[in-house]
Amino acid sequence: MGIYFVLSSLIRTFAALMGNEKVKGLRQVAAVVAIVLIVTALFSCGNSTKKELRASRADSMIFAAGAVMQYDRLLALVDSFEASHDINRLDAYRWRGAYYYHQNQYRTAEVCFHTALDQEVKTDEDQLVYNKVVRRLSELQVVRGDYDGALQVAVPAISQMDKTGIGSDIDYAIIYNNIGVCQLNLGQEKEAKESFKKAREKYANRCKTDSTSRGFQEAVLGTVYTSMAYINTRRYEESIYWIDRTETLLNQYRQRPDARRQYFDEYQGRIEIMRATALQGLGKSREAYEAYKRFQKTAFSKTGVGRVHGNGYLVSAGRYREAADNYRYLDKAMQEQALEPTLDVIQLYMLPKYRANYEAQRGDSAREMGKRILALLDSAITTQKRSASAELATIYHTNEKEAEIAQQQAEMSSMRLIGGLIALGLIVVFLLLYVMNRRRAAQRLRTAHQKLEDAHKQLQAAYDRLEETTQAKERIESELRIARNIQMSMIPNTFPTREGLDMYASMTPAREVGGDLYGYVMIDDELYFCVGDVSGKGVPASLFMAQATRLFRILATQHIMPAEIATRMNSVLTENNEQGMFITMFVGLVNLATGRLDYCNAGHNPPVLGVDGDDRFMEMETNAPIGLWPDLDFVGEYVENIRHKMLLVYTDGLNEAENLQQQQFGDERLLDILNHRHFDSCKELVSHLDGEVVKHRNGAEPNDDMTMIALMVL
């Protein structure tokens, strides 16, 4: 009624200026307009309530599909509900990440979770979803060893939760626990202790406030992860504290009437084998053996997975024969965990089995395992290629679905816009009919309507063109961003902290993705490393780079010389190489105990070796690049001792970097910098050269990828 009186008053005032002939009729129109607006407002409120109900119902249906492991139905529901606006993009990509996680496509799951975190958090419900995404994403990054990446996700999440006050105890506990694992692996022991302390407090709060036993189970799992983090970083004294705490929590969990008793034996088994490993690391062999005997009394120790876990203690105790016996159950363990013989599985399980049999002097078993590894290697590489291709295809398919959803949303938005314009036009028409002279008003209305229609057509045409251009650009940028994330995850971003070794590396692609690579593998006193430059640029070069990186890591674990690594890589990469791609590469092996450097240079730039004031390019045999011709035998060379000498290996993106006048950085400038400046560390050297190249380019775009790796044996 308030709307009616306001409109009626306005009409009376306006009519007084024109004459009072149609005041009565105008008041009737005001009543009609007021009713229309009231109904519209009520309809809008109803829509808001219905939208909330639809969102709750949509999440329930998606969760129900996941609970019964109908993951294909889960994905279909997500696509449908996002298109109908029943869930937002943040929630949609949270569920898509969960789908790919359950399909064991962890890299694609990470991409989806990152996309979810890129969305704007508008409501309290959005914040809760944001917390769950951070929990799962940081866990994936921790498992993959991407500790810097996990911290970049988890630390801002804690700040956001503190700022908004929205976050459950279990959200805080899991995220703090993940932060602590990252900090511990990055050498930040003091910060890690503080993070684990906060996680422990949050787990304790959850146990107090949760009427079920779920809080105790989550706390047990959290302390298991903390204990394993200390064991994996060989901080055995600290791990004992967390192992004891895990056992205390497990005993409290046992007292709960609704506890899941099927997990008791497995948790107890994991506690005892962790204790045995930690005590052995502390040199307490007798106590370690007693803990191992208690582990053997659990049913978990008799499973294939349990036997393989027990080998951590057996190998550290030098009991290779028992470890070799346990590895007889490796096939059973792989079957229990549904593991296929991929490159990662060969590296994590089959190579240790070979080593255990070798150390146990079981020559026949070691040879049989070696033959099996060689037999599986080719098929594993092929499977890895297919897996990578399938993963990229899935990402591209997801992007196509995004485009379809965006198009549907644009059509719905266009319909709403047209509907709103029509409603507004009707109100304007009604008012103009009774405010102005009918004849003149009708003429003006026709003119205005025509102009409005023409403007709408022009606006619609411009909108369509803008939408097509924007969608195409976003799709390309999204695909390149995903490819860059995948590529950068393949190169190490942490370096050995071993005493007597200083090492640092960096890679700067000229485009979103590139063809340069570097990598290293540390095995006891032997450090394998490589730097490579793939022919060409862009996505094809990045795919070839990914294959070369994987081959280097696998071959380096076989304890063979650099020349043999280059020969075997050439044999694999020349197969079906219809595009004629190749890679120049420097492969090195440093014995950290003796300082001897064995290397093979496959068509790559000569490295620089020396000390302050006496740095020079190494003279070496020039082999062909890898991937051009099959059946080549690459020649290797060595330097007897490189102790206290800085070794710099780089790609031509360094010495051939160009400025706006197309002048190159040059070999002479590189040697001049190295011979006239002292560097306290390899990181300082690499960072300084990177800054010098940026200064030389002086605003010019990079003309090639640039990669550097520097190391010194002290």
Side-chain angles (χ1 to χ4, degrees), residues 252-298:
Q252 293 175 350
Y253 182 46
R254 292 178 192 271
Q255 307 305 315
R256 306 289 295 190
D258 61 334
R260 299 181 179 182
R261 302 182 181 279
Q262 64 269 29
Y263 293 114
F264 289 172
D265 181 85
E266 178 183 346
Y267 290 162
Q268 190 65 50
R270 291 184 182 275
I271 289 171
E272 297 300 346
I273 195 59
M274 289 192 300
R275 191 185 302 278
T277 304
L279 290 171
Q280 185 65 36
L282 292 171
K284 300 179 180 180
S285 301
R286 185 182 186 87
E287 297 176 37
Y289 177 66
E290 293 298 324
Y292 181 68
K293 287 198 297 184
R294 293 193 296 272
F295 164 72
Q296 288 183 307
K297 293 179 181 180
T298 64

Side-chain angles (χ1 to χ4, degrees), residues 288-451:
Y289 177 66
E290 293 298 324
Y292 181 68
K293 287 198 297 184
R294 293 193 296 272
F295 164 72
Q296 288 183 307
K297 293 179 181 180
T298 64
F300 175 68
S301 69
K302 308 302 187 297
T303 65
V305 176
R307 291 178 184 273
V308 173
H309 274 284
N311 282 349
Y313 160 75
L314 293 174
V315 171
S316 64
R319 299 167 63 174
Y320 297 111
R321 289 184 176 275
E322 294 177 65
D325 289 340
N326 275 351
Y327 270 126
R328 290 182 300 174
Y329 297 89
L330 177 60
D331 290 340
K332 180 180 179 182
M334 291 175 60
Q335 184 177 5
E336 289 175 358
Q337 298 183 80
L339 295 176
E340 296 294 332
T342 62
L343 295 177
D344 289 334
V345 170
I346 291 173
Q347 181 181 8
L348 293 174
Y349 297 104
M350 295 184 177
L351 287 176
K353 179 177 179 179
Y354 168 84
R355 182 185 178 187
N357 280 284
Y358 176 81
E359 296 289 347
Q361 298 182 358
R362 297 182 179 178
D364 292 339
S365 297
R367 281 192 296 274
E368 287 301 319
M369 195 62 211
K371 291 178 181 179
R372 185 180 178 191
I373 290 172
L374 291 175
L376 290 173
L377 192 57
D378 184 66
S379 62
I381 292 173
T382 302
T383 301
Q384 193 75 10
K385 292 178 184 177
R386 292 175 180 170
S387 176
S389 300
E391 188 168 288
L392 287 174
T394 302
I395 294 172
Y396 295 150
H397 180 62
T398 301
N399 290 338
E400 290 174 0
K401 287 186 176 180
E402 280 191 65
E404 293 175 3
I405 292 170
Q407 182 177 357
Q408 293 174 4
Q409 292 174 345
E411 291 174 355
M412 295 175 68
S413 297
S414 178
M415 292 176 63
R416 292 192 187 96
L417 176 62
I418 293 173
L421 289 174
I422 292 175
L424 180 61
L426 287 173
I427 294 173
V428 172
V429 168
F430 271 98
L431 290 174
L432 290 176
L433 284 173
Y434 286 91
V435 171
M436 300 295 184
N437 182 277
R438 291 191 178 185
R439 183 175 298 175
R440 295 175 60 189
Q443 181 62 36
R444 291 178 182 177
L445 179 62
R446 283 193 295 270
T447 303
H449 181 73
Q450 185 61 45
K451 289 181 179 179

Side-chain angles (χ1 to χ4, degrees), residues 130-337:
Y130 171 89
N131 297 345
K132 294 177 182 177
V133 171
V134 170
R135 283 166 48 182
R136 183 59 61 85
L137 176 57
S138 58
E139 285 175 354
L140 284 174
Q141 292 172 313
V142 166
V143 171
R144 187 162 56 82
D146 183 11
Y147 304 118
D148 285 332
L151 288 176
Q152 290 173 11
V153 169
V155 172
I158 292 292
S159 299
Q160 181 70 9
M161 291 160 62
D162 289 341
K163 179 180 178 181
T164 61
I166 300 172
S168 65
D169 286 327
I170 193 59
D171 290 336
Y172 275 103
I174 293 176
I175 295 174
Y176 269 129
N177 209 71
N178 292 339
I179 291 174
V181 172
C182 294
Q183 292 169 331
L184 195 59
N185 280 277
L186 292 173
Q188 302 170 8
E189 187 173 359
K190 182 178 180 181
E191 294 82 355
K193 285 183 179 179
E194 186 64 25
S195 297
F196 288 139
K197 177 183 177 182
K198 293 178 180 178
R200 182 185 63 190
E201 293 171 353
K202 294 298 182 180
Y203 279 128
N205 289 341
R206 173 62 182 264
C207 293
K208 292 177 182 178
T209 58
D210 191 356
S211 60
T212 70
S213 66
R214 186 65 183 271
F216 284 97
Q217 184 182 9
E218 291 164 340
V220 170
L221 288 174
T223 51
V224 165
Y225 294 147
T226 305
S227 304
M228 287 303 301
Y230 277 107
I231 290 174
N232 290 338
T233 54
R234 300 185 179 181
R235 292 173 170 87
Y236 301 115
E237 193 72 42
E238 294 87 346
S239 70
I240 293 295
Y241 166 82
W242 288 102
I243 294 169
D244 290 340
R245 178 164 181 79
T246 304
E247 189 166 32
T248 299
L249 289 169
L250 178 59
N251 290 333
Q252 293 175 350
Y253 182 46
R254 292 178 192 271
Q255 307 305 315
R256 306 289 295 190
D258 61 334
R260 299 181 179 182
R261 302 182 181 279
Q262 64 269 29
Y263 293 114
F264 289 172
D265 181 85
E266 178 183 346
Y267 290 162
Q268 190 65 50
R270 291 184 182 275
I271 289 171
E272 297 300 346
I273 195 59
M274 289 192 300
R275 191 185 302 278
T277 304
L279 290 171
Q280 185 65 36
L282 292 171
K284 300 179 180 180
S285 301
R286 185 182 186 87
E287 297 176 37
Y289 177 66
E290 293 298 324
Y292 181 68
K293 287 198 297 184
R294 293 193 296 272
F295 164 72
Q296 288 183 307
K297 293 179 181 180
T298 64
F300 175 68
S301 69
K302 308 302 187 297
T303 65
V305 176
R307 291 178 184 273
V308 173
H309 274 284
N311 282 349
Y313 160 75
L314 293 174
V315 171
S316 64
R319 299 167 63 174
Y320 297 111
R321 289 184 176 275
E322 294 177 65
D325 289 340
N326 275 351
Y327 270 126
R328 290 182 300 174
Y329 297 89
L330 177 60
D331 290 340
K332 180 180 179 182
M334 291 175 60
Q335 184 177 5
E336 289 175 358
Q337 298 183 80

